[in-house]
């Protein structure tokens, strides 16, 4: 009889071919994982993986077994979950871009955690790293601020945003500018890989004339530099400086014939198992953002 543990380890090995990595994630020894896999293969009378170096590569029989066993395995998970209480349980791994960290995502997550017996691990990385982490299944859900085309990733819009040009110099708000009229100022830009940087640079011409004096990954550092240096400007999420604009410590510089509108997305792998916790959390996050 094939056990739930053997199936669970098999499907995890389909996603992650390195035994050492699986062992760390499952808090098991590599030997225990090998024993479980060997037991499954013995029961089936077939090798499911080709052993190439230190990697396990799903072979043609393994791919067939994965296809046949996946739906029954999900049914088994659902049946197992039905025996637990109605309270949500589990552990979600989340990564968010720095734009999301500068708005209300963390507050939304904390409110959700306070209502349920769950644990959420949240990291801050740039958009490219988030998409890579979704694809290799090292995180469950990501939050990014740029559109993209990746067939294996589902994206759901959670908010509208726009990038604006900002300075602490109120004098710059007295008229509108063509963007190249501002090239002479000291520009702060986000690091390479940042969606904010990519959206901004994709819209401006003659980038070699842009006076980029510093690249900064942290929004608070960017705002602090702006507040102390009136000759410095940046392109930043309007949501990220909402408070400073209201307090009139930072000012939006109006740009002629150029807009940086965009959408903010929640993303996850198309094959991600949608547990009750996953469904309730994603529903709550969308409600949290759309109500703000």
């Amino acid at each position: 009889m094939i056990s739930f543990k053997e199936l669970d380890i098999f499907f995890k090995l389909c996603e992650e071919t390195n035994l050492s990595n699986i062992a760390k994630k499952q808090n098991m020894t590599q030997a225990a994982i090998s024993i479980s896999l060997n037991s499954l293969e013995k029961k089936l009378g077939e090798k499911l993986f080709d052993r190439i170096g230190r990697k396990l590569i799903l072979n043609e029989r393994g791919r067939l077994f994965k296809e046949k066993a996946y739906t029954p395995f999900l049914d088994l998970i659902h049946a197992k979950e039905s025996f637990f209480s109605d309270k949500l349980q589990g552990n979600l791994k989340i990564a968010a871009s720095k734009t999301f960290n500068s708005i209300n995502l963390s507050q939304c997550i904390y409110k959700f955690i306070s209502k349920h017996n769950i644990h959420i691990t949240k990291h801050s990385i740039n958009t490219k790293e988030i998409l890579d982490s979704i694809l290799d299944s090292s995180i469950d859900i990501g939050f990014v601020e740029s559109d993209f085309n990746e067939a294996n990733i589902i994206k759901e819009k959670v908010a509208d945003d726009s990038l604006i040009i900002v300075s602490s110099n109120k004098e710059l708000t007295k008229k509108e500018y063509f963007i190249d009229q501002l090239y002479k100022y000291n520009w702060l830009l986000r690091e390479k890989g940042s969606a904010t940087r990519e959206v901004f640079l994709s819209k401006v011409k003659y980038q070699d004339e842009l006076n980029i004096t510093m690249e900064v990954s942290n929004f608070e550092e960017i705002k602090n530099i702006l507040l102390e240096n009136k000759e410095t400007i940046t392109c930043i999420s309007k949501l990220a400086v909402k408070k400073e604009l209201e307090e009139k410590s930072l000012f939006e510089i109006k740009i002629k014939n150029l807009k940086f509108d965009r959408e903010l997305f929640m993303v996850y792998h198309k094959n991600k198992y949608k547990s009750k916790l996953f469904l309730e959390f994603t529903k709550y996050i969308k409600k949290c953002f759309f109500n703000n």
Side-chain angles (χ1 to χ4, degrees), residues 149-187:
N149 291 308
E150 169 51 63
N152 291 313
I153 297 180
I154 301 295
K155 57 187 177 186
E156 296 189 35
K157 174 183 169 182
V158 294
D160 290 306
D161 187 24
S162 60
L163 300 180
I164 59 174
I165 309 303
V166 171
S167 171
S168 61
N169 187 351
K170 190 175 182 179
E171 291 297 312
L172 293 176
T173 66
K174 292 183 177 180
K175 66 176 186 178
E176 290 188 346
Y177 298 85
F178 289 107
I179 190 66
D180 59 348
Q181 292 178 290
L182 299 172
Y183 282 6
K184 64 182 179 181
Y185 290 90
N186 295 335
W187 280 83

Side-chain angles (χ1 to χ4, degrees), residues 160-248:
D160 290 306
D161 187 24
S162 60
L163 300 180
I164 59 174
I165 309 303
V166 171
S167 171
S168 61
N169 187 351
K170 190 175 182 179
E171 291 297 312
L172 293 176
T173 66
K174 292 183 177 180
K175 66 176 186 178
E176 290 188 346
Y177 298 85
F178 289 107
I179 190 66
D180 59 348
Q181 292 178 290
L182 299 172
Y183 282 6
K184 64 182 179 181
Y185 290 90
N186 295 335
W187 280 83
L188 297 178
L189 287 190
R190 290 281 309 283
E191 78 284 2
K192 292 179 181 178
S194 157
T196 297
R197 177 194 180 104
E198 291 174 359
V199 170
F200 171 65
L201 291 180
S202 70
K203 295 289 186 73
V204 301
K205 297 181 179 180
Y206 311 114
Q207 296 176 16
D208 56 327
E209 297 180 10
L210 187 66
N211 182 27
I212 303 174
T213 58
M214 191 173 180
E215 296 179 355
V216 183
S217 63
N218 185 284
F219 275 103
E220 292 305 314
E221 289 182 14
I222 290 174
K223 289 190 280 189
N224 288 336
I225 293 171
L226 290 172
L227 291 170
E228 296 295 327
N229 300 275
K230 291 186 179 296
E231 75 283 359
T232 303
I233 59 179
T234 194
C235 180
I236 197 169
S237 163
K238 192 169 187 176
L239 294 174
V241 289
K242 181 180 178 181
K243 178 182 177 183
E244 287 78 12
L245 293 174
E246 291 173 350
E247 294 175 345
K248 300 188 183 305

Side-chain angles (χ1 to χ4, degrees), residues 55-227:
K55 290 187 176 182
L56 295 175
I57 307 299
L58 201 64
N59 62 27
E60 62 278 8
R61 298 300 289 168
R63 289 192 291 271
L64 178 61
F65 181 72
K66 179 183 178 183
E67 178 183 342
K68 298 290 186 182
Y70 187 62
T71 298
F73 178 62
L74 291 184
D75 291 339
L76 186 59
I77 291 176
H78 286 303
K80 186 178 179 181
E81 286 190 340
S82 69
F83 286 93
F84 288 95
S85 69
D86 290 335
K87 291 183 178 180
L88 299 184
Q89 298 184 31
N91 182 350
L92 283 176
K93 295 179 181 179
I94 294 171
S97 70
K98 294 180 175 68
T99 293
F100 273 94
N101 288 333
S102 69
I103 49 182
N104 67 341
L105 177 61
S106 293
Q107 192 65 248
C108 287
I109 292 175
Y110 183 79
K111 289 179 180 179
F112 185 80
I113 291 173
S114 66
K115 297 179 181 179
H116 305 286
N117 179 31
I118 62 168
H119 179 76
I120 292 179
T121 304
K122 177 176 170 290
H123 298 288
S124 176
I125 51 181
N126 66 38
T127 296
K128 182 182 183 305
E129 292 169 322
I130 290 173
L131 298 181
D132 289 342
S133 296
I134 291 290
L135 291 173
D136 69 18
S137 300
S138 57
I139 62 172
D140 299 305
I141 302 170
F143 294 89
V144 301
E145 72 266 27
S146 66
D147 204 352
F148 59 90
N149 291 308
E150 169 51 63
N152 291 313
I153 297 180
I154 301 295
K155 57 187 177 186
E156 296 189 35
K157 174 183 169 182
V158 294
D160 290 306
D161 187 24
S162 60
L163 300 180
I164 59 174
I165 309 303
V166 171
S167 171
S168 61
N169 187 351
K170 190 175 182 179
E171 291 297 312
L172 293 176
T173 66
K174 292 183 177 180
K175 66 176 186 178
E176 290 188 346
Y177 298 85
F178 289 107
I179 190 66
D180 59 348
Q181 292 178 290
L182 299 172
Y183 282 6
K184 64 182 179 181
Y185 290 90
N186 295 335
W187 280 83
L188 297 178
L189 287 190
R190 290 281 309 283
E191 78 284 2
K192 292 179 181 178
S194 157
T196 297
R197 177 194 180 104
E198 291 174 359
V199 170
F200 171 65
L201 291 180
S202 70
K203 295 289 186 73
V204 301
K205 297 181 179 180
Y206 311 114
Q207 296 176 16
D208 56 327
E209 297 180 10
L210 187 66
N211 182 27
I212 303 174
T213 58
M214 191 173 180
E215 296 179 355
V216 183
S217 63
N218 185 284
F219 275 103
E220 292 305 314
E221 289 182 14
I222 290 174
K223 289 190 280 189
N224 288 336
I225 293 171
L226 290 172
L227 291 170

Side-chain angles (χ1 to χ4, degrees), residues 19-34:
L19 274 178
S20 177
N21 291 340
I22 285 288
K24 289 178 182 178
K25 291 177 181 178
Q26 297 300 114
N27 196 26
M28 297 171 63
T29 64
Q30 293 185 45
I33 292 176
S34 295

